[in-house]
Amino acid sequence: MELISRMMDGSVSYDGEHRLEPVLSRAAGRDDQSRLKAVPIFEGCTEKQLRHVADIARILDAPAGSVLTRAGDPGDEFFLILDGTVRVEVASGRTVSLHPGAFFGEMSLLDGGPRSATAVTETPARLLVIDRANFSCLQREVPELTQMLLVTLSQRVRQVEAREEQELSQH
Ligand code: CMP
C-alpha cells in the first residue's frame, strides 16, 4: 500500500525521512462540499453528485515538503488541490506547479502503471483525496468527471509537446 494511504488510515503516522511534520487527514464534510462547487472538474455536478464526492473523499492537510507521489512507486490515490501549491517533478528534471483546483495522481489510477512523476507540496496544502475503489465508482456515477480528466490530460500532453518543440528550436 502506498505510504500516503497508510498515513491516512493511521497505520503510519509520520515518515521522518520525507515529511517535515505529521500529515493530518479527516473525512470531508459539508463545508468541503460547498467548496467543491467552485472547482472546475466538479462544475457540471449536481448537488447529489457533490454530496457523493464529499462522502467518499478525505481531506489531507500536508505541510510544505510533503511527498505525495513518488515517480516509479505504485499509486492508489487521486489528489485535488483545495489550498496551496504542489510541484510536480516530471521527466527530465522539469517541474510544473499546480494550484488550487488542479488535480494529479489520476494516471496511475487510470492505467494501473507506476507514478509518472514525484509530487511535493511547495507550501502547506489542503487536498481532497480519493482512493482507487472510490475513484472508479465516481467515474461511473459522474461521467462528466471522466470528460474533465480527458480534457486536462490532453492539455498536459500539448504543453509537454510545445515545451519540447520550443527546446528543439532553441538548439
Ligand atoms: P500519476 O502518474 O498517477 O502520479 C504523478 C502525477 O503527476 C500524474 O499522475 C499526473 O497527475 C501528474 N503529472 C505527470 N506529468 C505531468 C505534467 N507534465 N504536467 C502536470 N502534471 C503531471
Side-chain angles (χ1 to χ4, degrees):
M1 193 195 282
E2 201 168 25
L3 180 63
I4 198 94
S5 312
R6 294 165 55 217
M7 295 178 80
M8 288 177 68
D9 74 12
S11 56
V12 169
S13 58
Y14 175 46
D15 169 14
E17 191 187 343
H18 301 299
R19 290 173 176 79
L20 305 177
E21 296 168 36
V23 173
L24 301 174
S25 96
R26 60 173 171 79
R30 286 259 153 191
D31 289 353
D32 303 303
Q33 185 186 324
S34 57
R35 283 199 65 186
L36 294 182
K37 281 187 205 159
V39 173
I41 61 161
F42 297 127
E43 231 164 39
C45 289
T46 61
E47 283 296 327
K48 190 174 164 215
Q49 287 173 324
L50 286 178
R51 202 164 44 245
H52 182 62
V53 174
D55 283 348
I56 61 172
R58 293 199 57 83
I59 300 294
L60 180 68
D61 282 309
S66 303
V67 179
L68 299 173
T69 69
R70 191 180 297 281
D73 280 1
D76 287 316
E77 283 107 5
F78 167 84
F79 298 87
L80 174 87
I81 305 171
L82 294 175
D83 294 305
T85 306
V86 172
R87 184 179 69 247
V88 177
E89 297 163 2
V90 295
S92 64
R94 288 198 203 94
T95 62
V96 178
S97 286
L98 301 180
H99 302 281
F103 62 81
F104 60 96
E106 77 293 346
M107 289 172 63
S108 291
L109 297 196
L110 291 170
D111 69 5
R115 294 295 196 196
S116 60
T118 295
V120 185
T121 50
E122 254 177 358
T123 64
R126 174 163 291 179
L127 302 115
L128 181 107
V129 187
I130 300 176
D131 66 24
R132 179 181 290 282
N134 282 314
F135 184 74
S136 302
C137 165
L138 195 62
Q139 276 183 286
R140 281 192 301 275
E141 294 192 14
V142 188
E144 296 83 356
L145 180 72
T146 303
Q147 175 69 19
M148 292 297 285
L149 291 177
L150 288 174
V151 170
T152 302
L153 278 169
S154 305
Q155 288 168 343
R156 286 179 181 167
V157 171
R158 285 185 199 280
Q159 281 164 5
V160 168
E161 288 187 346
R163 260 201 309 267
E164 275 175 7
E165 232 168 79
Q166 196 184 4
E167 280 173 13
L168 279 175
S169 69
Q170 283 167 355
H171 288 118

